[in-house]
């Protein structure tokens, strides 16, 4: 029988396999499924203090006020909702499914519901226990899918570990996927000459902040720190659609500070407090800080304070513009959710111009 040789571990012993054994191990192609390559992005803090910035003169830093920009957007959304109600007697509707009792998730959902009320958008919420089954969650989603008064539907993440997140999210109808997580929305975002029905809210908010701040994106070097399906990946795809040259930095990137220091635009979305130091930034870079992490602070009224992925104090005087935490990307995420919900209602009632 013909034999085929495979060399293992850079020239160590040769393993001989028959052709039949080779075919049984690697049918047709040798590359594994992409899902099998997935590893958890567990960031390891640096053991040594960062190097000092490599410049002497300070850069004037503009603080990008996401809160005020979001308020302006929400005011315009509320005006359009009133016009819709006046003209056809309908308003947009958003439904949220919350599983479990995570305090941060409960806070996020309360903020979304409050924002809906202020904009005149009808809202509904289904709360499920921590130990609910996938069948129970899918049943609730199916009810909202069939409700014509619900134009936007989202599942608050993260879900408890025993639930299949991908399976549950896939149950949200494409035309109601205002979070922009549906594979078709993500796929159309990745492809030229394709238009997703919805763009994920946080990436959409990040780019909106850049555009409204007069930041040029085309041709610029952009680094996105983090590669989650919720923020990192769609942000990278969206910046490419605006013709930025995009590099993704993740937990397995070698010397991430050197790569980040080449960026004109930095979007930090790793969820690691103070990961990005002042020495990581090129003087004049624009920094969008998506991270929102509670850290213990006994001096604070609530016993904690929110910090971002970027060491804000060190970035001041280096970056040309930066978003604060809180008050930067967070309010824009909610504003984009309202915008997507309004678009979903317009599409449902034939009012959206394509």
């Amino acid at each position: 029988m013909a034999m085929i040789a495979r060399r293992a571990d850079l020239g160590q012993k040769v393993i001989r396999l028959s052709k039949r054994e080779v075919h049984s191990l690697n049918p047709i192609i040798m590359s594994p499924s992409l899902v099998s390559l997935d590893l958890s992005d567990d960031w390891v803090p640096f053991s040594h203090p960062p190097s000092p910035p490599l410049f002497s003169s300070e850069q004037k830093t503009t603080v990008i006020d996401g809160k005020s920009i979001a308020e302006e957007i929400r005011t315009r959304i509320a005006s359009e909702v009133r016009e819709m109600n006046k003209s056809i007697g309908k308003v947009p509707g958003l439904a949220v499914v919350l599983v479990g009792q995570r305090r941060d998730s409960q806070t996020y959902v309360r903020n979304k519901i409050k924002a809906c009320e202020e904009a005149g958008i009808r809202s509904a919420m289904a709360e499920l226990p921590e130990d609910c089954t996938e069948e129970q969650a899918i049943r609730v989603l199916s009810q909202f899918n069939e409700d014509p008064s619900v134009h936007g539907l989202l599942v608050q993440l993260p879900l408890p570990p025993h639930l299949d997140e991908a399976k549950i999210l896939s149950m949200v109808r494409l035309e109601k996927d205002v979070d922009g997580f549906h594979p078709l929305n993500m796929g159309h975002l990745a492809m030229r000459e394709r238009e997703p029905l919805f763009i994920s809210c946080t990436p959409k908010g990040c780019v909106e902040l850049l555009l409204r701040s007069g930041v040029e994106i085309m041709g610029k070097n952009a680094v996105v720190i983090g590669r989650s399906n919720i923020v990192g990946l769609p942000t990278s795809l969206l910046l490419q659609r605006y013709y930025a040259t995009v590099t993704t930095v993740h937990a397995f990137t070698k010397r991430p500070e050197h790569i980040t220091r080449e960026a004109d635009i930095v979007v930090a979305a790793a969820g690691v407090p103070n990961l990005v130091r002042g020495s990581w930034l090129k003087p004049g870079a624009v920094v969008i800080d998506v991270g929102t992490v509670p850290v213990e602070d006994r001096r604070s009224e609530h016993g904690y304070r929110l910090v971002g992925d970027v060491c804000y104090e060190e970035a001041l005087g280096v970056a040309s513009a930066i978003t604060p935490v809180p008050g930067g990307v967070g309010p824009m995420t909610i504003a984009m959710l309202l915008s997507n919900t309004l678009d979903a209602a317009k599409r449902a009632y034939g009012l959206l111009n394509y």
Side-chain angles (χ1 to χ4, degrees), residues 112-310:
K112 292 170 183 176
I113 298 299
K114 181 180 178 183
C116 285
E117 293 173 354
E118 293 175 351
I121 293 174
R122 175 181 172 273
S123 63
M125 180 174 67
E127 296 185 77
L128 297 174
E130 180 86 15
D131 59 354
C132 77
T133 64
E134 287 182 1
E135 290 72 21
Q136 289 173 315
I138 290 172
R139 190 180 309 121
V140 170
L141 289 172
S142 297
Q143 292 171 351
F144 284 136
N145 276 332
E146 298 301 325
D147 186 344
S149 68
V150 172
H151 307 99
L153 174 57
L154 66 88
V155 179
Q156 184 63 44
L157 301 178
L159 292 172
H162 71 280
L163 298 178
D164 186 335
E165 183 175 291
K167 179 180 178 181
I168 290 174
L169 290 178
S170 69
M171 298 305 298
V172 177
R173 282 188 177 173
L174 178 64
E175 66 270 20
K176 298 190 179 189
D177 174 42
V178 289
D179 256 343
F181 295 157
H182 193 286
L184 283 178
N185 278 322
M186 292 284 277
H188 283 188
L189 178 61
M191 299 175 67
R192 294 181 61 186
E193 300 180 358
R194 297 293 181 94
E195 185 70 35
L197 290 182
F198 305 102
I199 298 172
S200 300
C201 299
T202 299
K204 186 176 180 179
C206 290
V207 170
E208 189 71 18
L209 285 175
L210 292 172
L211 297 175
R212 288 174 176 260
S213 300
V215 176
E216 184 180 358
I217 302 176
M218 179 180 288
K220 299 297 183 179
N221 290 330
V223 164
V224 177
I225 304 175
R227 59 189 190 106
S228 71
N229 290 338
I230 298 174
V231 182
L233 173 61
T235 300
S236 297
L237 296 174
L238 186 57
L239 286 171
Q240 288 183 64
R241 295 294 292 266
Y242 280 85
Y243 296 98
T245 301
V246 183
T247 302
T248 300
V249 169
H250 49 75
F252 302 96
T253 300
K254 304 297 184 184
R255 305 179 77 185
E257 67 277 19
H258 292 274
I259 297 173
T260 305
R261 200 176 292 140
E262 297 297 319
D264 304 301
I265 300 169
V266 177
V267 180
V272 181
N274 295 322
L275 173 70
V276 180
R277 311 306 297 257
S279 59
W280 286 38
L281 302 174
K282 180 172 75 172
V286 176
V287 179
I288 304 295
D289 193 350
V290 180
T292 307
V293 184
V295 297
E296 184 179 352
D297 186 351
R298 295 180 180 178
R299 296 171 298 177
S300 174
E301 177 183 353
H302 302 289
Y304 69 91
R305 59 188 173 87
L306 297 177
V307 300
D309 287 355
V310 180

Side-chain angles (χ1 to χ4, degrees), residues 31-86:
S31 57
S33 70
L34 295 180
V35 173
S36 71
L37 298 176
D38 288 345
L39 297 172
S40 176
D41 275 3
D42 296 322
W43 290 82
V44 179
F46 288 94
S47 57
H48 302 290
S51 303
L54 304 176
F55 51 89
S56 56
S57 60
E58 282 201 350
Q59 164 81 41
K60 181 180 179 182
T61 303
T62 299
V63 177
I64 301 174
D65 189 350
K67 186 176 181 180
S68 64
I69 295 173
E71 283 295 330
E72 178 185 343
I73 294 171
R74 287 167 59 169
T75 298
R76 295 184 61 180
I77 291 171
S79 176
E80 289 205 31
V81 170
R82 287 193 297 270
E83 287 298 317
M84 176 184 289
N85 194 19
K86 184 186 299 183

